[in-house]
Amino acid sequence: MDLYSTERNLAKTVFLESGRPMYSTKYENSLFGVQSKGIVINSTNPVGRMARIHFHSLKDDEVTVQGYDLRCRKAGMFSSAQTFVASNSMTYKWKWSGSDLILERDGISVGSFDHGSRGILSKKQNPCLHLMPEVIPIRDEVVATAVYMVAKKMYKKQEAKKQNASKQTHKHGFFTVGDVGNINGGVGNVGP
């Protein structure tokens, strides 16, 4: 089974199967117009909220599907892979392979997420979630955890950009902050 995403940002997309909408994702509503660290996934069959993803700074992130906590955890201390326990009591692992994701159970691939192509050097292809027959019964959980993995990577990139921006040298008055120590020696940038 293949589910195609209409957008590269899985936090704001619609997943299609044979052209029919199956799932839609959006950022969770938040106060004062500030973007929430939560994502809601809605299903079209049956219609309604199917899953909720919430990112936390100080504790484990939450991924719940129809009230069931998937207990997403890092696969290892230095690993970007994540494991989750599905409602069928089996443990699955998402791991990165370049910019794509591979879903494994007991070391065997049972699904994947292909980020697609923008069509600059090759034919444009929308992102696609490929599911093997054995995970179709838990496809809601597979969709939720795939969205979680891609969104988590996106959040980490955003946080890294924010940290890098705050570390950059900022100008204050006539002196650059990095040059304050050089003023006494007469060496330093003076002026804008």
Side-chain angles (χ1 to χ4, degrees):
M1 165 188 250
D2 290 338
L3 295 171
Y4 289 92
S5 172
T6 58
E7 304 291 331
R8 295 183 70 77
N9 181 354
L10 295 191
K12 298 187 304 186
T13 193
V14 174
F15 284 98
L16 306 171
E17 179 190 16
S18 303
R20 287 187 347 245
M22 298 298 288
Y23 302 96
S24 65
T25 64
K26 67 177 185 169
Y27 289 106
E28 197 168 43
N29 294 333
S30 61
L31 297 173
F32 310 113
V34 176
Q35 181 174 312
S36 168
K37 286 197 172 190
I39 300 169
V40 175
I41 304 173
N42 294 307
S43 173
T44 59
N45 188 18
V47 175
R49 180 186 270 196
M50 185 269 298
R52 181 177 180 269
I53 300 167
H54 195 82
F55 296 93
H56 296 284
S57 300
L58 301 175
K59 62 179 187 174
D60 290 331
D61 300 330
E62 297 172 48
V63 181
T64 55
V65 175
Q66 298 168 359
Y68 179 76
D69 179 11
L70 295 176
R71 301 187 311 267
C72 291
R73 304 289 183 261
K74 285 183 84 168
M77 183 179 272
F78 300 107
S79 175
S80 62
Q82 295 270 326
T83 62
F84 71 95
V85 179
S87 58
N88 62 6
S89 301
M90 294 186 178
T91 300
Y92 295 85
K93 177 169 72 172
W94 279 112
K95 67 179 188 177
W96 288 100
S97 175
S99 60
D100 296 332
L101 281 168
I102 307 295
L103 178 64
E104 294 180 346
R105 190 187 82 230
D106 298 328
I108 298 168
S109 177
V110 292
S112 64
F113 173 74
D114 176 353
H115 76 281
S117 167
R118 293 179 191 252
I120 296 169
L121 298 175
S122 61
K123 184 180 173 193
K124 182 179 179 185
Q125 292 180 323
N126 285 354
C128 183
L129 184 58
H130 306 282
L131 306 176
M132 300 298 284
E134 55 263 43
V135 294
I136 290 176
I138 59 161
R139 74 176 179 193
D140 291 352
E141 295 158 77
V142 173
V143 168
T145 54
V147 170
Y148 167 70
M149 290 292 291
V150 174
K152 182 176 180 128
K153 188 174 190 177
M154 182 181 73
Y155 278 129
K156 281 187 173 185
K157 282 183 181 179
Q158 288 174 350
E159 291 299 316
K161 281 183 183 179
K162 285 179 189 177
Q163 287 179 355
N164 285 338
S166 68
K167 289 180 183 177
Q168 302 235 340
T169 305
H170 298 285
K171 292 188 176 187
H172 294 282
F174 288 112
F175 302 101
T176 303
V177 170
D179 295 323
V180 170
N182 295 328
I183 293 172
N184 293 337
V187 181
N189 293 342
V190 178

